[in-house]
Amino acid sequence: MSQEGLLRPGIIQLRVLDMDEAITHYRDRIGLDLVSTEADGRVYLKAFDEFHRHSVVLREADSAGIDFFAFKADGQDAVDGFRKRVEDYGVAVDDVDAGEMPGTGKRIGFNIPSGHRIELYADMDLSDTAPETHNPYIYKEEPRGMRAQRLDHCLLYGPNLPEVEKFFTEVLDFHIPERVDLPDGTLAIWLTVSNKAHDIAFVNHPEPGKLHHVAFYLEDWNDIGHAADVMTRYDISRDIGPTRHGITRGQTIYFFDPSGNRNEVFCGGYTAYKDHPTRIWDGNHVGRGIFYYERQMNDAFLSVVT
C-alpha cells in the first residue's frame, strides 16, 4: 500500500495517579520496556517490536485520562502541510519544541471538536533496543508479561462527532472502515490512516476529552489467552473478554490500569483499504458488533471512561 503523509499512531501520553504502580503495570504486566524517567517526572516506555525511542508516556497527575494522542508523519514537509490545512480549516495550531520529549523532534498540536488534543510529528530517534534489521531474530530479549508488540490504537469519547469525522477525513486524510449509525445520528466511527482496521476511534459522548481505552497489539489468539493468565495471576481488574469484536473482527480483552485507565490487548482485525466500502452497523445489531460472541451491549463497558 502506497502511503504518504501520516503513517501511524506514534505516542500516547496518559495521566496516572501513582507512578510506581503504573510502571509495574505497563512494564511488568503489559510488557513494555522502560526507556527513561525524566527530570519532570514523566516516564517513557516502548513495546519490544517498535523501532522508535518511545510510544507511551506516563505523567503523574490528580486525575487519570489522556493528555494527547500523536501521529507520526513521513517527514517534516508533511507536518508543515498538515499545519496549513488545519489552520485553513479554522483550528488553532501550537508548536512544541524539539527536545520537549527526549529524542523527539518538534511537534504541532491542536484541539479537535471532541475536546481532545492531537499532535503530529516527523522525527524521533531510533531505540537502542529496536528490532534487529540484519539477519534478525524475532526478538532481542524474550518479551515479558503480556508480550505487547506495539501501541495500536485508542478509543476516545467526546461530543461533536460529525465535526470530528469531517476534520479527520477532510483535513488529516483518514478514512472510515466502520461506523455505527442510529436513527438520531452517528454513535461511533473507526478511522484509519493506514490499512489497519482502525488507528483511532470515537464514540459520541456529552463530556469532552475522555479516554475509553488505549490498545496494545499482540501476535495472536494464543497471546490473548496468555494475557488473561497474566491478569488472573496478578489480580488485574478485568473488564470483559477474552472475546471478539464484530466491528474490526479483532480478538480482545479489556482491563484497567491501577489508575482506572482502561487498556485493551488486541490481535487480528481485517485489512482496510481506502477503496473498500464502509461497514455500517445499526442499533438493532450493535451488540453483536461490539461483542461478537456475547451479542449484547455491556453498560459498564460503554459508560466507564477517564
Side-chain angles (χ1 to χ4, degrees):
M1 177 179 178
S2 176
Q3 187 176 345
E4 299 178 344
L6 299 182
L7 300 175
R8 56 176 174 80
I11 308 168
I12 189 168
Q13 182 163 298
L14 294 170
R15 299 190 303 274
V16 299
L17 305 181
D18 184 294
M19 187 60 78
D20 289 339
E21 290 183 348
I23 289 173
T24 296
H25 177 82
Y26 286 96
R27 179 193 61 195
D28 300 336
R29 308 301 176 238
I30 292 179
L32 305 182
D33 295 334
L34 196 158
V35 179
S36 68
T37 300
E38 298 301 315
D40 64 1
R42 285 185 293 179
V43 171
Y44 294 78
L45 305 104
K46 68 173 289 291
F48 78 87
D49 211 30
E50 293 175 326
F51 280 93
H52 289 87
R53 184 187 185 277
H54 60 264
S55 58
V56 175
V57 185
L58 305 178
R59 181 175 71 85
E60 194 168 66
D62 293 333
S63 62
I66 182 172
D67 283 337
F68 68 83
F69 197 64
F71 292 92
K72 191 175 189 301
D74 65 355
Q76 190 58 44
D77 287 347
V79 174
D80 294 342
F82 281 114
R83 181 195 188 105
K84 183 178 188 307
R85 292 172 65 176
V86 172
E87 291 176 332
D88 288 349
Y89 195 78
V91 174
V93 177
D94 62 78
D95 294 285
V96 183
D97 292 338
E100 190 274 340
M101 285 186 172
T104 307
K106 60 184 179 179
R107 316 190 309 269
I108 65 170
F110 42 87
N111 293 323
I112 60 174
S114 61
H116 298 92
R117 178 175 173 85
I118 299 296
E119 294 189 356
L120 309 179
Y121 69 101
D123 297 317
M124 182 184 284
D125 292 348
L126 292 175
S127 169
D128 293 337
T129 60
E132 296 172 323
T133 57
H134 184 70
N135 301 322
Y137 287 100
I138 293 173
Y139 47 75
K140 283 186 176 180
E141 296 182 4
E142 186 173 352
R144 296 183 308 281
M146 300 179 200
R147 305 191 286 246
Q149 293 188 349
R150 67 168 186 255
L151 169 67
D152 191 77
H153 67 268
C154 70
L155 172 58
L156 304 177
Y157 268 42
N160 305 311
L161 198 56
E163 291 86 349
V164 171
E165 177 179 341
K166 184 176 182 182
F167 181 83
F168 268 83
T169 56
E170 295 185 7
V171 180
L172 299 182
D173 294 336
F174 282 69
H175 65 283
I176 299 179
E178 210 143 6
R179 62 189 306 129
V180 177
D181 287 336
L182 304 179
D184 59 350
T186 298
L187 174 64
I189 52 175
W190 286 258
L191 301 111
T192 185
V193 76
S194 60
N195 63 355
K196 291 161 49 189
H198 57 330
D199 290 314
I200 192 169
F202 291 89
V203 169
N204 198 40
H205 182 71
E207 294 179 280
K210 295 299 182 180
L211 171 70
H212 184 271
H213 70 264
V214 55
F216 301 94
Y217 195 79
L218 304 186
E219 184 166 356
D220 55 27
W221 181 245
N222 289 329
D223 270 2
I224 296 288
H226 171 74
D229 292 342
V230 172
M231 291 176 206
T232 297
R233 170 62 182 83
Y234 294 102
D235 200 25
I236 295 170
S237 177
R238 184 177 58 86
D239 189 16
I240 194 164
T243 187
R244 185 174 193 171
H245 296 305
I247 297 168
T248 76
R249 301 184 191 164
Q251 297 159 324
T252 177
I253 308 178
Y254 290 94
F255 55 104
F256 294 96
D257 76 7
S259 301
N261 293 309
R262 184 186 280 105
N263 299 155
E264 178 188 21
V265 286
F266 174 94
C267 72
Y270 54 72
T271 301
Y273 293 103
K274 284 187 175 182
D275 63 341
H276 288 180
T278 298
R279 297 164 168 89
I280 301 172
W281 295 80
D282 61 43
N284 294 325
H285 299 90
V286 68
R288 174 165 55 86
I290 296 174
F291 298 122
Y292 194 70
Y293 301 147
E294 295 81 0
R295 290 168 286 172
Q296 60 185 1
M297 305 284 270
N298 179 307
D299 289 339
F301 177 80
L302 296 176
S303 60
V304 175
V305 293
T306 54

